[in-house]
Amino acid sequence: MSTSARKRHGRAALLGAAGLTAALVLSGCSSAGGGETAPDGEPVEITFQSWVPNIDRAVDAFNESHDDIEVTLETITAGPDGGYAKMLSAVQAGNPADVVQLGYDAIPDFLINDALEDISGYTADSADLFVPWQWETGVFGDGVYAVPQASGPLGQFYRKDIFDSLGLAHPETWEDYYEAAKVIRASDPNRYIAAFAFNQAPWMIGLAQQGGANWFAAEDDAWTVDIDGEATMTVANFWQKLIDEDLVKIEADFSSEWNADIQNGNVVTWISGSWADAILRGTAPDTAGSWAVGPMPQWEAGENVSATWAGGSASAVLKGSDNPEAAAEFAVWLNSDPESVNILTNIGAGWPAIADTSAISVLQDDPEVFAFYGGQDIWDVFAESDAAVDTSWKWPPLSSTLFASLTDNVKAAVDAGTPIADAFTQTQADMVAALEERGIAVN
């Protein structure tokens, strides 16, 4: 079987596993096809739902440059318990928004709920505009169900002033990271190399992905689940060692305590996506000039392996949109037009999904950002990180269940003082049970 055929087969397994017949998918997720009209001289009106702060700037730029389509922005809460639930309920009620912001991880969830339009008929000439692995996150079988917006390649933000004062270099390997953690911990009774963010499933998944884990594979019309495999256990045991030796602070990131620790230098590194730059600058403006960014530590010296924070996000057209063609046009423009991508990058939406970033001026010269990092062009780090992402990673159906299960299990392990490796084993069992309960075959 050719590589392309294997990819088609793998994607078909997502939609063709038990209980999700090809007939349902092909009929349920097919595009409604053109047909939308507006009164003479009036633009087609569509609604766009997103949680990205300041994305209204990109919507305004679209409206100013288009006379035939008018986009209204609705701000929603991110995540499965917020905006996603609202989107799915609206599809079931027959009054969905036209275009919505979806994480790459959420696209399979929406597909098994028959909630996305196939927009392949409107995006046939758009694939080459985007990085192939990001474009593929919205492609299933012969259909296109989302237009990629941005990824979250991981890097290591660190307080270079503190590292320098302790004679430490940026850790190139995880062993270097461990040794640096001991020096940092010994330097101040309140200081840690990092927070162990038990509240962030995407962070823990990214660490496992970078360690070589591949939790899900679609094979023979069923899913293989390998959450507690050897690679994941290696990563879990490494962080367990840091916890056991009191080298990391157990606290939820984005909490008020974490914010204070970032501001006062008690937490001196943060492994996060490229979008975290905007959060750091907003959270700790008084630390400008003290930070730097480097690649993730490697498990083997000389390697260059990266991962993402939950993949990234895309623009999708919900099933039942009255104007799928106009919605698809907006989705492509939003995520590929240089003016729009400049805005998206500037507001911290993530690393652009477009293949050619040469016209994205904020990636070429961004005085405000570079000054915060002591003059460093941090985008070079994330360009390399994005290119080094393991693109074989697949997101499964029920990713919301995955996130909730992993977060709950890791928090329970931390609270009880039991090995966090056991939390991954429990998450393995939880996911297998959840998939089988939905009638999705598991190997």
Side-chain angles (χ1 to χ4, degrees):
M1 184 181 295
S2 69
T3 300
S4 60
R6 284 197 299 272
K7 288 182 178 178
R8 289 194 299 272
H9 179 73
R11 289 193 293 269
L14 162 65
L15 303 178
L20 295 170
T21 65
L24 168 65
V25 172
L26 293 176
S27 63
C29 294
S30 62
S31 172
E36 63 249 36
T37 59
D40 290 344
E42 296 185 14
V44 172
E45 296 182 355
I46 62 174
T47 302
F48 171 45
Q49 293 180 332
S50 174
W51 62 80
V52 176
N54 300 312
I55 202 169
D56 57 294
R57 292 166 50 190
V59 173
D60 289 345
F62 178 87
N63 287 334
E64 290 170 5
S65 61
H66 290 73
D67 296 329
D68 56 337
I69 303 171
E70 180 74 20
V71 180
T72 298
L73 174 66
E74 292 183 359
T75 301
I76 57 169
T77 303
D81 298 325
Y84 292 171
K86 179 178 180 180
M87 293 171 192
L88 290 171
S89 294
V91 170
Q92 294 169 357
N95 59 350
D98 298 284
V99 186
V100 294
Q101 187 105 23
L102 285 185
Y104 294 165
D105 58 287
I107 296 172
D109 273 5
F110 274 68
L111 279 173
I112 67 169
N113 281 285
D114 190 22
L116 298 182
E117 291 280 0
D118 176 2
I119 56 173
S120 56
Y122 312 126
T123 60
D125 300 327
S126 301
D128 291 344
L129 296 173
F130 299 93
V131 174
W133 79 262
Q134 294 201 58
W135 177 259
E136 287 292 321
T137 61
V139 177
F140 295 85
D142 294 325
V144 176
Y145 297 94
V147 177
Q149 181 171 108
S151 66
L154 294 175
Q156 183 176 195
F157 297 84
Y158 67 103
R159 281 290 296 269
K160 189 175 186 300
D161 60 333
I162 295 175
F163 271 67
D164 288 348
S165 71
L166 298 175
L168 295 171
H170 170 261
E172 293 185 3
T173 67
W174 285 109
E175 182 61 29
D176 294 340
Y177 188 88
Y178 170 66
E179 294 298 329
K182 291 190 290 186
V183 173
I184 290 166
R185 189 74 185 96
S187 70
D188 187 300
N190 296 314
R191 185 178 286 166
Y192 296 85
I193 191 170
F196 181 77
F198 58 85
N199 63 316
Q200 291 293 353
W203 177 72
M204 292 180 277
I205 293 170
L207 293 173
Q209 181 188 11
Q210 196 253 349
N214 204 331
W215 288 3
F216 301 95
E219 301 171 329
D220 299 327
D221 292 332
W223 282 90
T224 297
V225 184
D226 187 26
I227 295 172
D228 59 350
E230 181 179 355
T232 302
M233 292 298 101
T234 296
V235 174
N237 291 333
F238 174 82
W239 285 91
Q240 186 69 57
K241 178 171 67 171
L242 296 178
I243 292 172
D244 291 345
E245 297 182 22
D246 191 33
L247 298 178
V248 292
K249 187 172 186 179
I250 299 174
E251 69 178 355
D253 63 4
F254 307 121
S255 64
S256 57
E257 182 183 14
W258 180 85
N259 288 341
D261 284 337
I262 290 293
Q263 292 162 359
N264 60 30
N266 286 341
V267 168
V268 301
T269 76
W270 184 25
I271 293 173
S272 193
S274 56
W275 43 262
D277 149 63
I279 293 175
L280 274 184
R281 287 187 286 119
T283 300
D286 292 342
T287 63
S290 301
W291 291 86
V293 182
M296 289 186 74
Q298 300 295 305
W299 287 98
E300 297 291 338
E303 288 185 340
N304 181 25
V305 182
S306 188
T308 69
W309 183 293
S313 64
S315 304
V317 178
L318 288 182
K319 184 68 178 294
S321 165
D322 290 333
N323 303 297
E325 184 173 5
E329 180 180 341
F330 168 69
V332 172
W333 183 94
L334 179 71
N335 301 313
S336 65
D337 181 86
E339 179 184 8
S340 178
V341 177
N342 261 302
I343 293 171
L344 294 174
T345 305
N346 183 259
I347 64 177
W351 188 258
I354 57 172
D356 182 6
T357 60
S358 61
I360 310 308
S361 61
V362 295
L363 295 181
Q364 318 309 321
D365 183 21
D366 196 333
E368 180 182 352
V369 171
F370 297 171
F372 188 84
Y373 297 96
Q376 180 189 4
D377 180 351
I378 66 170
W379 303 130
D380 286 343
V381 175
F382 290 109
E384 184 175 343
S385 176
D386 192 65
V389 168
D390 177 7
T391 60
S392 66
W393 181 273
K394 287 182 173 61
W395 291 103
L398 310 184
S399 61
S400 57
T401 300
L402 170 66
F403 284 19
S405 172
L406 181 59
T407 301
D408 290 346
N409 291 330
V410 170
K411 185 178 187 303
V414 168
D415 289 344
T418 56
I420 58 175
D422 293 351
F424 290 91
T425 300
Q426 182 60 52
T427 303
Q428 165 84 15
D430 292 346
M431 276 304 293
V432 169
L435 289 167
E436 290 179 340
E437 185 177 349
R438 283 296 299 269
I440 300 171
V442 179
N443 286 325

